[in-house]
Amino acid sequence: MILQGLLMLARGNAKGIEEFSGTLEAFSASLAPLIAFPLVGAFITAVGGDWRAGLVGLMSRLCAVLTLPVLTFEFSRLFGRRDAWLRTATALNWCFWLVLPLLFLAALLGSIIVQFGLPMNQVEIGIVGLIGLYLLWNRWFVFKSGLQITGWRAFLMLAASLVLTLLYALVPWIAGLPLPSLENAPLP
């Protein structure tokens, strides 16, 4: 039912929210992989000798992951829709995974467009921009359909989620750690 709900929400079908459970167990299951990846990354960084970067990175990523559920809870309480927060937060967590098939499709589309002579860097910027806009729309749509609120209220939630996520993403940089770079990333 999760995959069906995810696909429905991805296509703009508000009924997709009904495919997600509003239980604590379902929410925990949706949150577990989003917490596991930062934990593994922090462990690898710490084992690599930089425990400070691992710890600060872990804390900032955990705060960023937990921002959506906390924000959803607070806004749902503010809007008198507290009964819908858990289902909405669960759907938001699962919608994170839309990025994977979108990146695959973007790579395929980008390789086709480049064959027509457009520069790769322009194609990448355009496609990543389109993916970003779609993911913003999707988050807005899940807020709107999950909490059954107006588009303006959902936009307010979207803006708040972006500001808070950006702040948490900047914490490692503020702590004096270098910004991530793919230049020195180990090759598989």
Side-chain angles (χ1 to χ4, degrees), residues 38-50 54:
L39 277 172
V40 170
F43 177 75
I44 291 170
T45 302
V47 168
D50 196 351

Side-chain angles (χ1 to χ4, degrees), residues 25-176:
E25 292 80 16
F27 173 70
S28 298
S30 72
L31 195 58
L34 299 178
I35 291 175
F37 283 105
L39 277 172
V40 170
F43 177 75
I44 291 170
T45 302
V47 168
D50 196 351
W51 65 269
R52 182 174 176 250
L55 183 62
V56 171
L58 173 65
M59 298 312 292
S60 89
R61 287 179 184 93
L62 287 179
C63 287
V65 164
L66 295 173
T67 293
L68 277 180
V70 171
L71 182 119
T72 302
F73 175 79
E74 289 301 326
F75 273 97
S76 68
R77 190 175 55 82
L78 177 69
F79 298 148
R81 297 293 302 142
R82 188 171 173 189
D83 59 321
W85 90 269
L86 202 52
R87 179 186 304 253
T88 304
T90 301
L92 286 165
N93 287 342
W94 285 117
C95 282
F96 169 81
W97 298 104
L98 286 173
V99 76
L100 296 176
L102 287 175
L103 288 175
F104 175 76
L105 289 173
L108 180 63
L109 182 61
S111 66
I112 292 170
I113 292 172
V114 167
Q115 297 302 315
F116 289 101
L118 285 168
M120 179 61 103
N121 62 343
Q122 290 178 1
V123 171
E124 288 174 347
I125 290 170
I127 289 178
V128 168
L130 287 174
I131 289 173
L133 288 173
Y134 172 78
L135 291 173
L136 289 174
W137 169 84
N138 181 258
R139 185 178 289 183
W140 172 85
F141 184 74
V142 174
F143 283 142
K144 183 179 179 296
S145 59
L147 296 178
Q148 297 174 345
I149 57 176
T150 67
W152 287 108
R153 285 183 171 187
F155 181 77
L156 177 64
M157 291 180 71
L158 176 66
S161 72
L162 292 176
V163 168
L164 289 172
T165 303
L166 178 63
L167 287 175
Y168 291 128
L170 292 176
V171 165
W173 179 71
I174 293 168

Side-chain angles (χ1 to χ4, degrees), residues 24 38 100 183:
L24 196 52
L100 296 176
E183 289 179 22

